[in-house]
Amino acid sequence: MNHGLEIRWHGRGGQGAKTAALLLADAAFKTGQYVQGFPEYGPERMGAPITAYNRIGREPIRVHSNIYTPDLVMVVDETLLHAVDVTAGLKEKGAVIINTPKTREEMMPLLNGYKGNVYTIDARKISEDTLGKNFPNSPMLAAAVAVSGVMERDAFLKEMQGLFEHKFAKKPEVVKGNMQALCQTLDLMEKTLKQNIKKSA
């Protein structure tokens, strides 16, 4: 795939990894990009490991396989690090984002020697603060956008507002909570990215 972004999502059934991948594809499509968003079908049991994928680019996408050398890996459930090699095929110039309250340094020993960028975000806390429940997919979605730069912040928030209003037409409080989750995560990730730039300067 030329000049595009490939993302692999790792989660468990019921955590929203598949939904996050589909929402990201929808938002990117609305900003004029070519997109793919699809799950890898297996046992669809609640709590079972699942994988989902995104391809996003400015040129038509002619590949329709799973993604084996992603630019970005999203880990929605940190317990998967003990069972799944989430960094398999991940480009060294890429990144992995893990939903965890722990630090990057605490996560590194679980990543099989991966040398690329590693970010952590406490998506559970953010979702519980903004939505009252553990729905980590919205914070993880925002983290993916912040780190990848696949969309401008304002364009992303505008499209997500519309998508949430359609999805939760009868639950305006859910729309508000999801938007707050996105904004909180973007603020946190942008702060982290700026700190990393300063450290490497």
Side-chain angles (χ1 to χ4, degrees):
M1 182 179 169
N2 295 325
H3 312 299
L5 174 73
E6 293 187 324
I7 304 174
R8 188 172 67 217
W9 296 78
H10 293 279
R12 293 186 183 277
Q15 293 178 330
K18 172 184 165 184
T19 300
L22 297 178
L23 284 170
L24 180 57
D26 283 345
F29 178 76
K30 289 178 180 295
T31 65
Q33 302 190 71
Y34 293 93
V35 302
Q36 288 179 357
F38 58 98
E40 180 177 342
Y41 285 103
E44 294 290 305
R45 301 188 313 276
M46 184 73 71
I50 67 117
T51 310
Y53 304 94
N54 285 115
R55 286 190 177 94
I56 302 170
R58 296 291 177 183
E59 299 174 7
I61 301 170
R62 309 195 189 283
V63 182
H64 295 281
S65 64
N66 289 348
I67 291 170
Y68 302 104
T69 55
D71 303 285
L72 177 62
V73 165
M74 305 299 298
V75 183
V76 184
D77 188 322
E78 68 172 298
T79 66
L80 289 169
L81 296 175
H82 300 284
V84 178
D85 182 5
V86 300
T87 58
L90 177 58
K91 294 171 183 170
E92 284 214 0
K93 291 186 177 180
V96 57
I97 305 175
I98 306 165
N99 170 22
T100 178
K102 298 172 185 172
T103 65
R104 172 187 182 277
E105 288 69 29
E106 289 175 290
M107 291 290 100
M108 291 301 289
L110 300 174
L111 296 177
N112 298 311
Y114 180 63
K115 305 293 186 188
N117 292 313
V118 177
Y119 301 95
T120 60
I121 184 80
D122 194 347
R124 176 175 187 149
K125 183 178 187 305
I126 292 169
S127 65
E128 288 179 344
D129 287 348
T130 56
L131 288 157
K133 292 182 180 179
N134 181 20
F135 290 132
N137 56 340
S138 282
M140 292 301 285
L141 175 57
V145 170
V147 170
S148 68
V150 70
M151 281 174 275
E152 294 292 335
R153 176 184 174 126
D154 289 348
F156 169 63
L157 291 174
K158 176 188 172 188
E159 299 307 338
M160 290 307 302
Q161 178 85 33
L163 288 167
F164 284 144
E165 286 175 354
H166 177 73
K167 185 177 175 71
F168 303 112
K170 296 180 180 178
K171 297 180 179 179
E173 71 282 0
V174 177
V175 176
K176 181 180 178 182
N178 273 293
M179 292 305 297
Q180 288 175 338
L182 296 181
C183 290
Q184 274 193 32
T185 306
L186 289 170
D187 290 344
L188 285 168
M189 295 307 298
E190 286 165 6
K191 183 179 178 182
T192 298
L193 291 165
K194 284 177 184 174
Q195 289 172 343
N196 285 3
I197 291 170
K198 285 181 181 177
K199 285 179 185 176
S200 60

